[in-house]
Amino acid sequence: MSKLKNKVAVVTGASKGIGASIAKHFAAEGAKVIVNYVSSKEDADSVVKEITNNGGIAISIQADVSKEADVIRLFEETKKAFGTLDILVNNAVFQQFLPIEQASPEAFHQHFDVNVLGPVLTIQASLKLFRDNGGTIINISSGASKSPMAGVSLYSATKAALDAITISLSKELGAKKVRINSILPGATETEGATSAGVTPGSEYEKMFIANTPLGRRGQPEDIAKVAVFLASDDAAWITGEQISVSGGMYGF
């Protein structure tokens, strides 16, 4: 398949979970992929190895998207490796289940620096590297931006902010032939969700499944397939949208 043939894509936070699945699906569709990671080099290299073993092209680049110098280096290395950029996926995320009494200034900044400042910095850098015929930006938001639950007020606020950025920039960047959309996953089975306490058989998982019309948690590939569509020419007339991929949990 070749929906993304010869496209160059940066996927942040791509060493595991949704980001890793997006990177693999992009590569399977012909894209050259930069697998960004902040600390999990072994996991990122494993994603790259799987891609290359299947005939794809990928490299891993370490960068903390909340740090401007790291973001600049990430895109400099992307340019050095592939010369240009066509697709940016903002997937890197910080999340804690945190009652408001424990929402310290440090926790606030951890959430907003990674989940909001990070995408702003990567978008700024990507605009300098996109080709003359434009580019595509996909922000991985969350159903929590529309339907926040207890204990994730900071996380939910960052995702609502990211959706607002998506809408605003769709109007700002359209003249530059840059499309930007948000994907809002529902309860998805990832390493991050597990570390946050949503483990198989847990009360959190039972609650999510009970409130999901399709009766299961999502898998990373459920999100990745939609990302491929949004990155491809099939979505050439779509920008500024917030697309729920949640088994119906947030489809209201």
Side-chain angles (χ1 to χ4, degrees), residues 37-126:
Y37 68 98
V38 65
S39 60
S40 303
K41 185 180 189 305
E42 184 176 351
D43 291 331
D45 289 344
S46 178
V47 174
V48 169
K49 184 177 180 180
E50 182 174 338
I51 289 171
T52 55
N53 284 348
N54 288 322
I57 299 173
I59 61 172
S60 64
I61 300 177
Q62 189 279 334
D64 181 342
V65 298
S66 70
K67 298 179 180 179
E68 185 177 19
D70 277 24
V71 171
I72 290 171
R73 177 176 50 77
L74 169 62
F75 285 84
E76 285 177 344
E77 292 186 22
T78 296
K79 183 177 182 179
K80 182 178 179 181
F82 298 119
T84 189
L85 181 68
D86 301 284
I87 304 161
L88 167 66
V89 180
N90 282 312
N91 174 75
V93 66
F94 180 84
Q95 178 184 12
Q96 285 182 324
F97 280 76
L98 204 63
I100 194 64
E101 293 88 349
Q102 297 176 24
S104 65
E106 180 183 18
F108 176 92
H109 287 294
Q110 284 179 306
H111 279 87
F112 275 85
D113 285 355
V114 174
N115 301 354
V116 182
L117 177 60
V120 169
L121 292 174
T122 59
I123 290 168
Q124 288 174 334
S126 70

Side-chain angles (χ1 to χ4, degrees), residues 160-220:
L162 188 60
D163 288 344
I165 289 170
T166 298
I167 296 169
S168 178
L169 289 185
S170 71
K171 300 171 182 178
E172 184 175 332
L173 301 179
K176 297 181 180 180
K177 302 178 183 178
V178 174
R179 297 187 297 107
I180 180 169
N181 295 285
S182 293
I183 297 177
L184 283 60
T188 306
E189 192 171 347
T190 65
E191 294 90 337
T194 298
S195 64
V198 188
T199 55
S202 68
E203 291 304 311
Y204 275 125
E205 183 185 58
K206 292 176 183 177
M207 178 192 68
F208 284 133
I209 291 175
N211 286 281
T212 301
L214 291 184
R216 67 171 175 86
R217 289 173 70 188
Q219 297 299 314

